[in-house]
Amino acid sequence: MATVNWQLARSKILIDSESCNLNCGSFGPCPRIVWEECQHLRHELARQPMNFFLRMVPERLKIARKALSAHIDFNHKNLIFSSNVTVAINMIASSYNLGGGDVILTTDLEYGAMRWVWERIQQKTGCSIETVEIPHLCENPNEIIAIFEPLLRSPVKLLFFSHVTSPTGMVLPARELCRLAGSRGIDSIVDGAHSVGTLNLSLCDINADFYGGNLHKWLGSPTGSAFFGCKPKAMDLLEPLIVSWGFQKPFGLEQDDDDGLGSTPNIRKLEFTGTIDPSPWLVTPVAIDFQNGLGMDQIFNRQRELIHYTRERLAPLNWLVPATPVSRETSCAMVAFQVKLPIQLDRLRRFLWENHRVEIGLNQHPRLGLLLRVSCHFFTQESEIDRLSKALIDLERWVTECSNPSQMTGN
């Protein structure tokens, strides 16, 4: 296995040299080659829109879908592009016909906006939401499965969980949970927003009824690039959030036939929402080729090396309490810490940015309190983690010396 020159790889990424971006978990930068190809497509769209949509998009969309399906090991005929996972989960949730006796089972480590999606469904239908408290430092996935085992039974209709949890970066046993749910007639819906580019992913192996993933975080695609995959039977359940061309099947075509537009009638009904710029979807093969050129295993190993370095570098700060497991089975490219200083989220973000130009993930969790999350991709440098360490030492000094508590809380 060839050694990767990570400094050279970093030089091929669009990165602001004046700041320190340790927050790919929110938004990741693009490789130059991906961004340049996306801009080329947008130029073609701007100068000749009809030619772009009628003649360029169909073939490139088909190529992009097949490239993504190969990368995540899934049937391209059941793969729908989306602008982000939030849109995908909203469509999926809105398509279910739930009632007052039905239960949605989820965890307490979900992304806040996704929790709101299900709460809105609860308000509309009268169904119930049951929340499982996950031991956030669990090193053994079998312990998580054992928690769910007695809960996955009637009246539970849906299981919703994150493959990689947003607040803490913990990896949940997606395959086992989906199979357990399926064996009991319960549909599984997985938020895989952080999985593509951090895990060796096989959607066929996971076998969820629905699985959504972002491509703009870890794969290096532009903002507006995401997908969701679904089982053929589950696909029949879905109703589009927006009705546009594609809502009615063209005469003479079956649902899975090539429609000449880069999709199928089944896919187009859900994917086409009117006139949009599909360029972020179309450059998916370029993003995949770039990372494959480095080697996905090498990328995953590099991410873990940097996470280990982060843990070591921040260990002397005893007011940072680790909130992510160490095990390879339950962790990947992000590590979170509970912040035990008297400071609020907004004030902490402002301090790190205004004083040190450091960007990290922050979350106010109901059970775990204020969480500081560090994302490490292959282009992250040890010097950036050192910079974060120095910034946090400066933060501790400022909090200690601050004579006005309202300055620390932002009141």
Side-chain angles (χ1 to χ4, degrees), residues 312-357:
E312 287 191 330
R313 199 70 180 80
L314 301 186
L317 301 174
N318 58 14
W319 51 271
L320 286 179
V321 180
T324 307
V326 177
S327 164
R328 291 185 69 91
E329 293 181 288
T330 53
S331 66
C332 56
M334 297 187 290
V335 60
F337 302 86
Q338 292 174 284
V339 178
K340 300 297 184 178
L341 285 180
I343 189 167
Q344 291 182 351
L345 185 153
D346 289 344
R347 188 65 187 90
L348 174 54
R349 189 188 302 281
R350 289 203 309 273
F351 182 92
L352 292 178
W353 179 253
E354 292 173 3
N355 293 279
H356 297 276
R357 284 296 186 266

Side-chain angles (χ1 to χ4, degrees), residues 64-106:
R65 198 183 315 279
K66 289 184 176 180
L68 178 59
S69 71
H71 191 65
I72 62 176
D73 186 29
F74 197 66
N75 185 349
H76 68 275
K77 290 190 175 183
N78 300 113
L79 194 62
I80 298 98
F81 279 108
S82 176
S83 56
N84 51 62
V85 171
T86 299
V87 171
I89 298 300
N90 270 273
M91 181 190 300
I92 294 164
S94 298
S95 297
Y96 273 95
N97 184 22
L98 299 175
D102 297 327
V103 172
I104 301 164
L105 188 65
T106 187

Side-chain angles (χ1 to χ4, degrees), residues 105-110 115 130-132 134 148 160-161 172:
L105 188 65
T106 187
T107 84
D108 71 336
L109 294 179
E110 301 308 317
R115 175 75 188 197
E130 291 187 5
T131 304
V132 180
I134 300 290
F148 278 93
F160 174 76
F161 66 94
L172 300 186

